[in-house]
Amino acid sequence: MAKLTVAILGLDRLGVSIALRLRAYVAKGGKHEFELIGYDSRDDYEKPARKLKVFDKVERKPHAAVASADLVVMNLPYEDLRAGYELIAADLRDGVVLLDSAVIKQPSEAWARQLLSAEQHWIGFTAVANAHYLLEPQLGPEHASDDYFHDSAIYLTPSVTSMKEAIDLAVNFSVILGGKPAFLDPAEHDSLTAITEEMAQLLSVAAYSAASRHSAWGDAKRLTNAPFGVQTRYLFTHHPDGLRDEWLANRERLGRAIDDVVAVLRDLRERLAANDEAAVEAFLMKASDEYQDWINRRHKGDWDEHASQRVQVDSSIASSLFGGAISRRLFGDKDGRQ
């Protein structure tokens, strides 16, 4: 049996769902134990997380949260992420494994390479939500659930220097969360999230900006129902500094995604301008058919996986940790001392 101290920095829906899942795992007789430590500087996240009483401790300083941790989930808002690395680096223990949940991984990988020692192990971590929550955009901790990752992919993006022992720990931790671990290269990951994450952010902001600049906005802003609120929600849930830094850090990939969307919009505009009912209908039917195929596969988890992404999972967390600071930290030395 292993006992791990897990620090979760960032107590939004994802962070608290991790804690709830670990508690549920232990309650159902799991053979590993977890001490859970939380941290969040945002009162509207930190206070609800405290009330849930899922953490053994909720610290008020990030360095205090990580000081005893074997595993750190770095889940801070993007605008706070670089500063977060700088604040905790000196207090991380040797052997710690740090899982980074940022939308893009390459900047975090570079910060980790600059600020962490060779005995502190960074791995990118992107958890895909349970398909049952796909159309629920709420981010607050009060919406967390212990099945948030059930039967969905958890993508791990190790750096080229990541130790096998650290990767094994991340893989088995992902399985305990209820996910299906798979691997992506950090650059490939960032190309994909430019399409699926950052493009959604950008279109949200662009839709509001276009509407607010319209000559009729003075009247139109009174006619703002749920569709407009849902579409433009990123200006409510994300800080402009975070969006700015994230977009600029991934600007080449995001730029290509913008070009693709602009091409689709131009095509649709031409069909509308021509009053071509058949062409508009064909556009919508193709999109609808492809959407139905995607969302059905998303709910079933029915994907054609690349062989390189499949992960062989051992039934015991970190079972292959032999030697080094990680093994000593979790299991003691070869003579059994802790």
Side-chain angles (χ1 to χ4, degrees), residues 8-132:
I8 300 175
L9 308 186
L11 304 183
D12 60 4
R13 187 177 191 173
L14 184 144
V16 175
S17 290
I18 291 174
L20 288 171
R21 174 59 186 171
L22 295 179
R23 286 289 183 234
Y25 166 86
V26 173
K28 293 176 181 177
K31 59 183 176 180
H32 308 294
E33 298 178 4
F34 301 94
E35 179 185 10
L36 302 180
I37 303 173
Y39 163 78
D40 203 304
S41 63
R42 298 164 291 184
D43 284 347
D44 53 341
Y45 283 8
E46 190 255 12
K47 289 181 178 178
R50 279 184 183 274
K51 290 180 181 178
L52 291 171
K53 300 188 183 301
V54 67
F55 291 94
D56 296 289
K57 291 186 287 186
V58 177
E59 298 284 3
R60 297 192 179 277
K61 300 291 183 182
H63 59 83
V66 305
S68 62
D70 302 300
L71 189 149
V72 175
V73 179
M74 199 68 164
N75 186 44
L76 296 175
Y78 198 81
E79 64 271 17
D80 297 334
L81 195 55
R82 170 61 193 256
Y85 274 94
E86 293 173 344
L87 287 170
I88 69 171
D91 294 278
L92 293 170
R93 302 168 77 172
D94 285 349
V96 69
V97 175
L98 193 152
L99 302 180
D100 185 294
S101 70
V103 169
I104 53 174
K105 305 304 184 190
Q106 289 180 289
S108 296
E109 182 185 15
W111 300 331
R113 189 165 54 247
Q114 175 186 353
L115 297 168
L116 304 187
S117 76
E119 289 284 2
Q120 297 161 345
H121 310 284
W122 178 93
I123 297 175
F125 172 88
T126 297
V128 177
N130 183 333
H132 291 295

Side-chain angles (χ1 to χ4, degrees), residues 14-333:
L14 184 144
V16 175
S17 290
I18 291 174
L20 288 171
R21 174 59 186 171
L22 295 179
R23 286 289 183 234
Y25 166 86
V26 173
K28 293 176 181 177
K31 59 183 176 180
H32 308 294
E33 298 178 4
F34 301 94
E35 179 185 10
L36 302 180
I37 303 173
Y39 163 78
D40 203 304
S41 63
R42 298 164 291 184
D43 284 347
D44 53 341
Y45 283 8
E46 190 255 12
K47 289 181 178 178
R50 279 184 183 274
K51 290 180 181 178
L52 291 171
K53 300 188 183 301
V54 67
F55 291 94
D56 296 289
K57 291 186 287 186
V58 177
E59 298 284 3
R60 297 192 179 277
K61 300 291 183 182
H63 59 83
V66 305
S68 62
D70 302 300
L71 189 149
V72 175
V73 179
M74 199 68 164
N75 186 44
L76 296 175
Y78 198 81
E79 64 271 17
D80 297 334
L81 195 55
R82 170 61 193 256
Y85 274 94
E86 293 173 344
L87 287 170
I88 69 171
D91 294 278
L92 293 170
R93 302 168 77 172
D94 285 349
V96 69
V97 175
L98 193 152
L99 302 180
D100 185 294
S101 70
V103 169
I104 53 174
K105 305 304 184 190
Q106 289 180 289
S108 296
E109 182 185 15
W111 300 331
R113 189 165 54 247
Q114 175 186 353
L115 297 168
L116 304 187
S117 76
E119 289 284 2
Q120 297 161 345
H121 310 284
W122 178 93
I123 297 175
F125 172 88
T126 297
V128 177
N130 183 333
H132 291 295
Y133 303 117
L134 185 61
L135 301 181
E136 297 181 12
Q138 299 91 342
L139 299 179
E142 63 273 17
H143 299 286
S145 58
D146 65 10
D147 67 342
Y148 194 61
F149 314 106
H150 177 69
D151 222 19
S152 289
I154 294 180
Y155 286 99
L156 303 174
T157 57
S159 71
V160 294
T161 60
S162 294
M163 291 178 60
K164 179 182 183 298
E165 294 88 349
I167 297 171
D168 287 346
L169 178 61
V171 165
N172 287 283
F173 184 74
S174 300
V175 173
I176 286 177
L177 293 182
K180 297 178 178 179
F183 290 134
L184 280 176
D185 173 79
E188 181 184 7
H189 174 279
D190 292 356
S191 292
L192 298 179
T193 54
I195 300 168
T196 60
E197 296 278 349
E198 292 180 316
M199 180 53 62
Q201 299 167 357
L202 190 144
L203 289 175
S204 177
V205 176
Y208 180 81
S209 296
S212 66
R213 295 174 188 177
H214 196 281
S215 59
W217 176 241
D219 294 321
K221 63 187 177 184
R222 297 173 174 81
L223 288 170
T224 45
N225 284 312
F228 188 77
V230 169
Q231 184 182 32
T232 60
R233 69 183 183 277
Y234 282 96
L235 286 168
F236 179 77
T237 60
H238 289 64
H239 195 283
D241 290 352
L243 294 174
R244 175 200 64 204
D245 294 347
E246 188 182 312
W247 294 357
L248 289 172
N250 207 28
R251 59 189 176 276
E252 292 182 5
R253 297 173 180 86
L254 184 56
R256 290 193 290 270
I258 291 171
D259 290 342
D260 292 340
V261 171
V262 169
V264 170
L265 291 174
R266 284 177 174 163
D267 175 52
L268 180 57
R269 187 180 187 282
E270 290 174 1
R271 299 184 193 205
L272 291 169
N275 196 26
D276 190 334
E277 180 179 348
V280 173
E281 180 179 353
F283 175 90
L284 290 169
M285 290 303 297
K286 183 175 187 297
S288 178
D289 289 345
E290 292 176 352
Y291 180 88
Q292 291 300 323
D293 178 68
W294 162 72
I295 203 164
N296 286 332
R297 286 177 176 267
R298 179 70 170 82
H299 276 270
K300 294 175 182 178
D302 179 18
W303 311 111
D304 298 323
E305 294 180 322
H306 298 297
S308 62
Q309 291 182 353
R310 297 193 187 104
V311 175
Q312 293 296 114
V313 178
D314 195 284
S315 60
S316 176
I317 190 169
S319 62
S320 63
L321 302 189
F322 301 118
I326 304 175
S327 186
R328 292 195 299 273
R329 179 70 64 215
L330 301 184
F331 303 110
D333 63 21

